[in-house]
Amino acid sequence: METKTFAELGLSQKVQAAIEAAGYSSPTPIQAAAIPVAVTGRDVLGIAQTGTGKTASFVLPMIARLETGRARARMPRSLILAPTRELAAQVAQSFEKYGINHKLSVALLIGGVSMDDQVRKLDRGVDVLIATPGRLLDHFQRGRLMLMGVEILVIDEADRMLDMGFIPDIEKICNLLPPRRQTLFFSATMPPEITRLVNQFLRDPERIEVARPATTAKTITQHFRFTADGEDWVKREILRDMIRTENVKNAIIFCNRKRDVAILLKSLLKHGFNAGALHGDMDQKNRMETLDKFRNGEINILAASDVAARGLDIPDVSHVFNFDLPWQSDDYVHRIGRTGRAGREGTAQSIVTPDELKSFKEIEKIIGETIVWIGEPPGEQDFADAGKRRRGRGRGKPGAQRESGRGESSRGGEGRRGDNGHKEPRRASGGPDRRERRQAPGMGEQPSVHGEAEARNASPRDGASEQRRPEGRAGKQQPKAPRSEAKPQPREHERPKAPAPRQRPRPAEGDQPSKAALSAFQGNVPAFLRKPPRPVKAANE
Ligand code: AMP
């Protein structure tokens, strides 16, 4: 397909000027394909994940279509449903960015943020309402808004909605909307439940599928580093070596367990790195503060768990490191998709231990390219032994827990004292100083596995990953449900191996958010949410 320019997509001059101001030179594939269809008012089924530029692919045509017409009190003209409050807030920020030349009124209905301003806005009439499904229904049931004026509906990240048990809410909301409307529907994957939803609520949609960035992105350089010694302190030394060797502008380091995120952060700080952490135990405020620091360069290394990092728009990440290989190959795709976004160059480097070789084989299938090893690749015997041995903490057993929170084993010989008072390694086989890049014997040319369909098949979504941070809503019969900022956080190390049922009960979402809750969006609060004279400040600032 020939490359299109933004001028060819049917957007107005005002929208094009905003795109120019955003610094985009050409549309991404999803934008090039979806925008010309969406501006005509047709339904779109976009199969694309975060990092492809999908947000602009619905925000830009929406702005163009909402240019004319006026909003009426309590009757939003368009509705965007997002699975989490962070995503909803990011979409709202996109309206600020791309709508600089427009006077569109945007309201955000999400948990954890004071609703007074937003409700006042709704009362006056909004062009765009962005909401999480539960919040929207709560407000609807309280009679604070009517949905009969919605001309455009956007459902973003539908498969995550499915994982989080939002499908019944989505169905309810769709049935409350006028049947004559445009629907723009986005999902990274198309499990049967999502296909059913599409068949039920979209009218003759244009189906646009773009490859997962990770499966086809030539912009991500992927390297693997095998260590025969899988002890954590060995891995941490290797990691430090990787970071120091690479030209790291900013990096996300993924661990499989939130406890290890904390340990790794401690170690990184001790070794003088400018680091922060993002994991499921942190409250919203801390997460947002850390993310802001990472965005504005105050810290340039972020140790993170999958759950904490999923779906967040963190632009311009130069490197992704996998301290642990993810148990699900799908998560590998998500993780490395944090770099090499929207055509930029990125590097992903993963540490592989003997116990992770089984997971590695799965990941290798979806990469579909020759694997490049830094240092010594694993031998045939390592692969033959893969899965047989269980070291230390039961790699490959998602439910396995460590005995000690310290996380270090003192096995491994006579080294100097290292992180957390534990012994530092003697150089492991294929140690940090050996850096030739080689191909693994017998693993040279893989049959190329392309496209996300196969990527999906290789690792069906387990549906468990997002349950830990649900944007659930208060029970429907309890409009005055107690606020639950500290929502129950299922443990990250409890990721089940087998696919979990998709529809799951949701914990209650906060109902009457406090100032503290509002401050959770410190630095990330879209301008229209801020009260101009008194900008929201984090309590500890
Ligand atoms: P998204 O997939 O919507 O999460 O977007 C991923 C990132 O790509 C965001 O940081 C956008 O600001 C950026 N982006 C979106 N469209 C373009 C474009 N046409 N050129 C360059 N960057 C873009």
Side-chain angles (χ1 to χ4, degrees):
M1 194 176 67
E2 69 188 91
T3 320
K4 282 189 177 157
T5 64
F6 276 112
E8 295 171 88
L9 305 184
L11 295 165
S12 67
Q13 288 300 328
K14 282 203 283 185
V15 176
Q16 287 182 50
I19 294 168
E20 213 178 310
Y24 303 160
S25 49
S26 56
T28 64
I30 183 83
Q31 291 163 1
I35 293 172
V37 179
V39 288
T40 66
R42 243 189 98 182
D43 284 5
V44 169
L45 166 60
I47 305 170
Q49 62 163 209
T50 312
T52 54
K54 73 171 165 59
T55 314
S57 79
F58 60 81
V59 172
L60 294 172
M62 278 180 83
I63 296 175
R65 294 202 64 218
L66 294 169
E67 260 171 16
T68 51
R70 264 190 69 224
R72 283 185 284 164
R74 295 189 178 199
M75 290 182 74
R77 297 173 65 201
S78 65
L79 172 66
I80 300 174
L81 295 173
T84 64
R85 53 184 82 168
E86 285 93 345
L87 265 174
Q90 279 167 18
V91 173
Q93 284 175 331
S94 293
F95 274 94
E96 280 186 25
K97 185 154 128 190
Y98 307 130
I100 45 167
N101 301 319
H102 294 76
K103 286 203 179 78
L104 292 180
S105 161
V106 179
L108 189 55
L109 288 185
I110 53 177
V113 172
S114 165
M115 284 296 104
D116 296 351
D117 288 354
Q118 305 302 304
V119 170
R120 268 196 293 277
K121 268 192 179 180
L122 269 177
D123 286 347
R124 287 198 298 269
V126 294
D127 297 295
V128 184
L129 176 60
I130 305 165
T132 47
R135 265 293 146 145
L136 182 86
L137 280 173
D138 282 349
H139 283 268
F140 179 80
Q141 280 155 3
R142 290 167 196 219
R144 288 180 184 159
L145 66 113
M146 287 171 279
L147 294 171
M148 288 317 289
V150 172
E151 300 155 33
I152 309 169
L153 166 71
V154 176
I155 297 179
D156 195 13
E157 308 225 348
D159 50 354
R160 283 183 76 189
M161 304 253 202
L162 174 69
D163 285 349
M164 295 169 73
F166 282 149
I167 297 305
D169 285 352
I170 300 285
E171 286 174 333
K172 240 179 258 169
I173 293 166
C174 285
N175 285 322
L176 292 169
L177 298 173
R180 282 183 63 81
R181 59 157 197 272
Q182 179 183 26
T183 306
L184 308 172
F185 189 103
F186 291 84
S187 189
T189 57
M190 288 298 290
E193 300 94 323
I194 296 295
T195 305
R196 188 181 59 76
L197 208 63
V198 166
N199 293 339
Q200 201 179 343
F201 293 111
L202 273 71
R203 282 194 311 175
D204 186 27
E206 176 88 20
R207 183 186 163 109
I208 297 161
E209 187 161 357
V210 298
R212 280 172 178 258
T215 46
T216 51
K218 303 287 176 257
T219 51
I220 305 176
T221 307
Q222 298 176 60
H223 294 148
F224 292 83
R225 170 65 180 270
F226 181 65
T227 169
D229 188 338
E231 297 296 344
D232 281 352
W233 45 265
V234 176
K235 290 170 67 181
R236 283 200 295 271
E237 187 171 274
I238 290 172
L239 178 74
R240 289 196 295 275
D241 182 63
M242 282 170 154
I243 299 172
R244 287 177 183 134
T245 309
E246 287 290 313
N247 184 16
V248 173
K249 177 176 163 263
N250 53 3
I252 305 182
I253 304 168
F254 283 99
C255 298
N256 289 352
R257 300 168 185 81
K258 58 191 166 193
R259 183 194 297 164
D260 290 344
V261 171
I263 294 170
L264 182 61
L265 173 66
K266 216 172 133 192
S267 165
L268 288 166
L269 292 172
K270 195 180 130 193
H271 283 87
F273 291 98
N274 198 8
L278 210 60
H279 59 72
D281 271 353
M282 290 163 71
D283 63 21
Q284 184 82 351
K285 178 174 179 288
N286 272 326
R287 272 187 220 195
M288 286 313 202
E289 280 175 359
T290 305
L291 255 184
D292 275 347
K293 283 186 192 162
F294 190 64
R295 281 202 192 99
N296 66 29
E298 224 175 294
I299 54 175
N300 73 333
I301 291 177
L302 199 57
S305 62
D306 293 288
V307 177
R310 234 182 215 217
L312 295 177
D313 179 19
I314 309 167
D316 288 330
V317 177
S318 72
H319 285 72
V320 168
F321 295 101
N322 286 313
F323 182 76
D324 301 308
L325 269 195
W327 292 305
Q328 304 281 337
S329 48
D330 235 20
D331 281 332
Y332 178 81
V333 175
H334 277 282
R335 287 181 181 185
I336 77 162
R338 306 268 132 209
T339 187
R341 303 175 92 179
R344 298 183 195 104
E345 294 288 314
T347 301
Q349 297 196 336
S350 306
I351 299 173
V352 184
T353 65
D355 294 325
E356 291 173 319
L357 285 172
K358 248 176 120 184
S359 307
F360 168 79
K361 281 300 223 182
E362 289 303 309
I363 290 166
E364 187 188 23
K365 278 188 213 156
I366 63 170
I367 291 174
E369 285 172 12
T370 305
I371 296 296
V372 179
W373 292 96
I374 305 170
E376 202 72 50
E380 273 170 31
Q381 194 56 45
D382 293 309
F383 280 103
D385 291 346
K388 284 187 201 157
R389 54 180 145 182
R390 285 272 172 266
R391 249 173 220 240
R393 51 198 222 167
R395 287 251 174 250
K397 271 205 288 186
Q401 289 196 45
R402 309 208 54 174
E403 285 161 43
S404 146
R406 285 290 166 94
E408 321 286 288
S409 162
S410 55
R411 285 189 288 137
E414 347 45 346
R416 63 195 155 85
R417 289 267 160 195
D419 301 332
N420 297 336
H422 292 267
K423 289 177 183 176
E424 287 292 293
R426 290 173 293 182
R427 289 272 181 229
S429 148
D433 47 352
R434 290 207 261 150
R435 305 201 58 83
E436 331 101 70
R437 292 182 174 161
R438 296 213 233 140
Q439 288 173 15
M443 298 186 353
E445 285 303 313
Q446 286 294 321
S448 186
V449 181
H450 290 298
E452 67 176 320
E454 273 143 315
R456 290 196 298 276
N457 292 341
S459 174
R461 296 173 70 89
D462 66 5
S465 56
E466 297 304 332
Q467 80 176 90
R468 306 164 190 109
R469 277 192 51 258
E471 181 71 16
R473 69 190 167 99
K476 284 172 207 152
Q477 303 309 319
Q478 311 158 20
K480 296 286 176 199
R483 186 157 57 78
S484 55
E485 260 312 290
K487 287 180 281 182
Q489 302 282 351
R491 295 186 182 162
E492 281 173 355
H493 62 258
E494 288 174 356
R495 174 192 287 267
K497 246 181 180 174
R502 287 181 174 275
Q503 304 290 344
R504 60 190 80 248
R506 286 161 285 131
E509 184 181 11
D511 193 47
Q512 295 297 326
S514 63
K515 278 185 184 162
L518 181 58
S519 72
F521 282 83
Q522 166 65 15
N524 197 39
V525 183
F528 59 86
L529 263 184
R530 294 182 209 126
K531 284 183 183 160
R534 274 194 303 130
V536 181
K537 277 258 164 198
N540 59 359
E541 275 191 351

